[in-house]
Amino acid sequence: MTTADRQELLRDLLGELPADRAARLAARLAVEPELAAARRALAERWQALELPPAAPAPLGFAARVRARAEAEAKEARAGWFGFGAGLLPATAAAGVLAAGVALGAWLGAGLVANATPTPA
């Protein structure tokens, strides 16, 4: 069986084959037992993949989602200068890191400049 045959079987199973091609495939299935067995196996696997019907959402779910979304939007608008509440700690951390790098570079440069060669 070729890849094209497998694709044809799958398209037939999904109902995507045009009527003329579906008729040709049905004729082949009647005379080719290997192809018919592959079609049955594919149909069995496809049936096993079907999901059960979706359960309805619990009562009040939509109202809880809407309330939470509105609360989060309000919290975001209340942040510093409209940038959001999480921006201030991130900015402070970046500033501390930059100050530490600058201080380390300044101290390191001073140590190198004051270093005296040791006699050999």
Short mmCIF file of all heavy atoms in Angstrom, two decimals, residues 86-101:
data_model
loop_
_atom_site.label_atom_id
_atom_site.label_comp_id
_atom_site.label_asym_id
_atom_site.label_seq_id
_atom_site.Cartn_x
_atom_site.Cartn_y
_atom_site.Cartn_z
N GLY A 86 4.18 45.34 38.25
CA GLY A 86 5.40 44.56 38.23
C GLY A 86 6.61 45.31 37.70
O GLY A 86 7.72 44.82 37.78
N LEU A 87 6.44 46.51 37.18
CA LEU A 87 7.55 47.23 36.58
C LEU A 87 8.49 47.83 37.61
O LEU A 87 9.70 47.83 37.42
CB LEU A 87 7.03 48.33 35.65
CG LEU A 87 8.09 49.04 34.82
CD1 LEU A 87 8.79 48.04 33.92
CD2 LEU A 87 7.48 50.13 33.99
N LEU A 88 7.98 48.30 38.73
CA LEU A 88 8.83 48.95 39.73
C LEU A 88 9.87 47.98 40.30
O LEU A 88 11.06 48.32 40.32
CB LEU A 88 7.98 49.57 40.84
CG LEU A 88 8.77 50.34 41.90
CD1 LEU A 88 9.48 51.52 41.26
CD2 LEU A 88 7.85 50.81 43.00
N PRO A 89 9.52 46.78 40.76
CA PRO A 89 10.56 45.88 41.27
C PRO A 89 11.59 45.51 40.20
O PRO A 89 12.77 45.41 40.49
CB PRO A 89 9.78 44.65 41.73
CG PRO A 89 8.39 45.12 41.95
CD PRO A 89 8.19 46.24 40.99
N ALA A 90 11.16 45.33 38.97
CA ALA A 90 12.09 44.97 37.91
C ALA A 90 13.05 46.12 37.63
O ALA A 90 14.25 45.91 37.43
CB ALA A 90 11.32 44.60 36.64
N THR A 91 12.55 47.35 37.64
CA THR A 91 13.39 48.51 37.41
C THR A 91 14.39 48.68 38.56
O THR A 91 15.56 48.98 38.33
CB THR A 91 12.52 49.78 37.28
OG1 THR A 91 11.58 49.56 36.23
CG2 THR A 91 13.36 50.99 36.96
N ALA A 92 13.93 48.48 39.79
CA ALA A 92 14.82 48.59 40.95
C ALA A 92 15.92 47.54 40.87
O ALA A 92 17.10 47.83 41.13
CB ALA A 92 14.02 48.44 42.23
N ALA A 93 15.58 46.31 40.51
CA ALA A 93 16.57 45.25 40.41
C ALA A 93 17.60 45.57 39.32
O ALA A 93 18.80 45.36 39.51
CB ALA A 93 15.89 43.92 40.13
N ALA A 94 17.16 46.09 38.20
CA ALA A 94 18.07 46.45 37.12
C ALA A 94 19.00 47.57 37.56
O ALA A 94 20.20 47.57 37.25
CB ALA A 94 17.29 46.86 35.88
N GLY A 95 18.48 48.54 38.30
CA GLY A 95 19.30 49.64 38.80
C GLY A 95 20.36 49.16 39.78
O GLY A 95 21.52 49.58 39.72
N VAL A 96 19.99 48.27 40.68
CA VAL A 96 20.95 47.72 41.65
C VAL A 96 22.02 46.93 40.92
O VAL A 96 23.22 47.03 41.25
CB VAL A 96 20.22 46.84 42.69
CG1 VAL A 96 21.20 46.04 43.52
CG2 VAL A 96 19.34 47.71 43.58
N LEU A 97 21.64 46.15 39.93
CA LEU A 97 22.61 45.38 39.16
C LEU A 97 23.58 46.31 38.43
O LEU A 97 24.80 46.09 38.45
CB LEU A 97 21.89 44.48 38.16
CG LEU A 97 22.78 43.62 37.28
CD1 LEU A 97 23.58 42.64 38.12
CD2 LEU A 97 21.94 42.87 36.26
N ALA A 98 23.07 47.35 37.80
CA ALA A 98 23.93 48.30 37.08
C ALA A 98 24.88 49.00 38.04
O ALA A 98 26.06 49.19 37.74
CB ALA A 98 23.08 49.31 36.33
N ALA A 99 24.39 49.38 39.23
CA ALA A 99 25.25 50.03 40.21
C ALA A 99 26.34 49.08 40.68
O ALA A 99 27.50 49.48 40.87
CB ALA A 99 24.41 50.52 41.39
N GLY A 100 26.01 47.81 40.88
CA GLY A 100 27.00 46.83 41.30
C GLY A 100 28.08 46.63 40.25
O GLY A 100 29.27 46.53 40.58
N VAL A 101 27.69 46.57 38.99
CA VAL A 101 28.67 46.42 37.91
C VAL A 101 29.58 47.64 37.84
O VAL A 101 30.80 47.52 37.71
CB VAL A 101 27.95 46.18 36.56
CG1 VAL A 101 28.92 46.28 35.39
CG2 VAL A 101 27.27 44.83 36.57
#
